[in-house]
Amino acid sequence: MGKAGLRYAAKVDLNKPAADQDVLHNRWHPDIPSVGTIKNNEVVKIECVDWTGGQIGNNDSADDMRDVDLTKIHYLTGPFDIETAEPGDVLVLEIQDVQPLDEQPWGFTGVFSKDNGGGFLDEIYPEPAKAIWDFEGIFCSSRHIPGVRFAGLIHPGILGCAPSAEILATWNKREGELIEACAHTHNRVVAEPPQPKNVHAGSADAQLKEKVGKEGARTIPGRPEHGGNCDIKNLSRGSKVFLPVHVKGAKFSVGDLHFSQGDGEISFCGAIEMAGVITIKFSVMKGGVKQLDMKSPIYIPGPVEPQFGPGRYIYFEGFSVDEHGRQHYLDTTVAYRQTSLRVIEYLRRYGYNDYQIYLLLSCAPVQGHIAGVVDIPNSCTTMGLPMDIFDFDISPHVPAEKRDLGSCAFASK
């Protein structure tokens, strides 16, 4: 029998506010009501809204990026009970397919305001900006970053099982301690504590919704105990994910689907964000946590990946010396920022503005690597830029020709 017979475990409505849909939620909490049951070894389809719940439009203004409400994110589909799953088991997911929804064949990449989410390079690029990408089968292109076309490595940004009450308390304690420790020494947000504003807990009644708002963990970071928002670009079709189970039924949720992403998703809203449908086979490994001595999820990437031939990447280096010439000790964050800036400097010679390149490096299939973390005082990181995503030659030995390459969308002043 063909895949046409697969069951939809959940469907979403793009014409209805995300906060009004019972199959969605935007906090991690063990008490959020399940939206359905999936059998052990069953294959199902699950629809997802984009991570903002439809706050970003297909237009030529970044006002929506400027004004996005981050208390609402991420909207995830679930949670689902998986039959036979118990604490101590491992939930095994085989990602069989991920596709955009037919009614929304486009996605977006953005830069948020520095004072509202920011991004990896927000000290240098603080202004809101946006690019819309049109999907053409497996390929994508953007009117906001012309001269580029590439195949998407489509994947979910978020996969996770619900935390137990004990694990949730651990998350809130350790992240609260970080916030307190940095209160007088840090000039930016270091973690997001529970936020009652705009909490959505599926079909929860008012009393339970209030509890989830007070206790529920934000979905913004990935966490070692369950995965969550890890944004691993290679978890595409054919991948397997091994998730520890902490509550009866696992209470699995998924969302934040990406058409494509670069390593690091550096602009924060850096993938090509989309609404879509994911097809997953679920199976339960009884006693898997002990068997695997599991402390955090395990992933096996699938066989699907954009193919660029040997010698078709240009690699750029960065070190733990920042743009002001200050030396840092084995700081891979500083190094990767510098790596990103080297690529921006290289590509602006062709006529792109810096924000176009920043957006492109966030969502194109660049290869980011840590090259060295032992040679004091400098960490070394690299970024491999695939040359064949451009419709002109960017080889170092070919003189750069400046072109009219338009502009990404910016916010009104």
Side-chain angles (χ1 to χ4, degrees), residues 283-320:
S283 57
V284 177
M285 181 188 294
K286 302 303 293 183
V289 169
K290 183 177 181 180
Q291 178 183 334
L292 298 175
D293 194 20
M294 180 178 279
K295 302 295 190 298
S296 59
I298 298 171
Y299 307 92
I300 301 176
V304 178
E305 187 169 355
Q307 298 299 309
F308 303 103
R312 301 308 297 166
Y313 285 87
I314 307 176
Y315 272 81
F316 299 82
E317 287 185 306
F319 299 90
S320 314

Side-chain angles (χ1 to χ4, degrees), residues 126-342:
E127 300 300 322
K130 181 175 77 178
I132 297 295
W133 296 86
D134 294 309
F135 305 146
E136 309 152 5
I138 66 170
F139 295 98
C140 64
S141 61
S142 174
R143 63 185 181 271
H144 295 127
I145 310 177
V148 172
R149 187 173 186 261
F150 53 88
L153 187 57
I154 310 179
H155 63 279
I158 298 180
L159 293 162
C161 297
S164 64
E166 294 76 17
I167 288 174
L168 178 61
T170 296
W171 292 353
N172 287 335
K173 180 176 183 291
R174 73 185 181 209
E175 291 171 23
E177 289 172 347
L178 176 65
I179 292 169
E180 185 176 354
C182 296
H184 304 294
T185 61
H186 217 288
N187 62 355
R188 66 189 306 169
V189 175
V190 297
E192 292 281 3
Q195 167 61 272
K197 181 181 179 184
N198 286 320
V199 64
H200 182 44
S203 62
D205 60 25
Q207 184 176 0
L208 178 53
K209 184 176 179 180
E210 182 180 7
K211 180 183 181 186
V212 172
K214 290 179 179 178
E215 301 172 354
R218 300 301 305 277
T219 61
I220 293 168
R223 296 179 176 92
E225 293 84 357
H226 84 146
N229 190 27
C230 295
D231 294 319
I232 300 170
K233 79 178 195 311
N234 296 91
L235 290 184
S236 190
R237 289 170 292 168
S239 298
K240 285 190 175 180
V241 185
F242 299 77
L243 297 174
V245 174
H246 301 293
V247 299
K248 181 177 174 57
K251 285 198 165 182
F252 168 81
S253 299
V254 61
D256 187 27
L257 303 187
H258 299 163
F259 191 85
S260 178
Q261 181 201 301
D263 283 327
E265 198 186 10
I266 60 175
S267 76
F268 180 31
C269 186
I272 299 179
E273 310 286 351
M274 70 176 201
V277 57
I278 183 168
T279 305
I280 303 175
K281 180 179 180 180
F282 292 83
S283 57
V284 177
M285 181 188 294
K286 302 303 293 183
V289 169
K290 183 177 181 180
Q291 178 183 334
L292 298 175
D293 194 20
M294 180 178 279
K295 302 295 190 298
S296 59
I298 298 171
Y299 307 92
I300 301 176
V304 178
E305 187 169 355
Q307 298 299 309
F308 303 103
R312 301 308 297 166
Y313 285 87
I314 307 176
Y315 272 81
F316 299 82
E317 287 185 306
F319 299 90
S320 314
V321 179
D322 67 24
E323 63 274 15
H324 306 296
R326 180 186 172 197
Q327 180 75 62
H328 297 257
Y329 175 71
L330 294 180
D331 192 324
T332 55
T333 299
V334 170
Y336 203 54
R337 284 197 181 108
Q338 294 305 303
T339 308
S340 303
L341 290 172
R342 299 297 85 80

Side-chain angles (χ1 to χ4, degrees), residues 336-395:
Y336 203 54
R337 284 197 181 108
Q338 294 305 303
T339 308
S340 303
L341 290 172
R342 299 297 85 80
V343 188
I344 290 173
E345 292 157 1
Y346 186 89
L347 289 180
R348 72 161 67 116
R349 303 174 308 136
Y350 297 96
Y352 291 115
N353 66 52
D354 286 17
Y355 280 87
Q356 287 176 298
I357 308 167
Y358 185 18
L359 291 167
L360 180 62
L361 300 188
S362 302
C363 66
V366 302
Q367 299 281 357
H369 298 285
I370 296 175
V373 289
V374 295
D375 299 319
I376 60 173
N378 281 329
S379 288
C380 176
T381 62
T382 64
M383 180 181 285
L385 177 67
M387 301 164 65
D388 296 332
I389 69 174
F390 298 91
D391 64 11
F392 51 89
D393 193 344
I394 64 164
S395 301

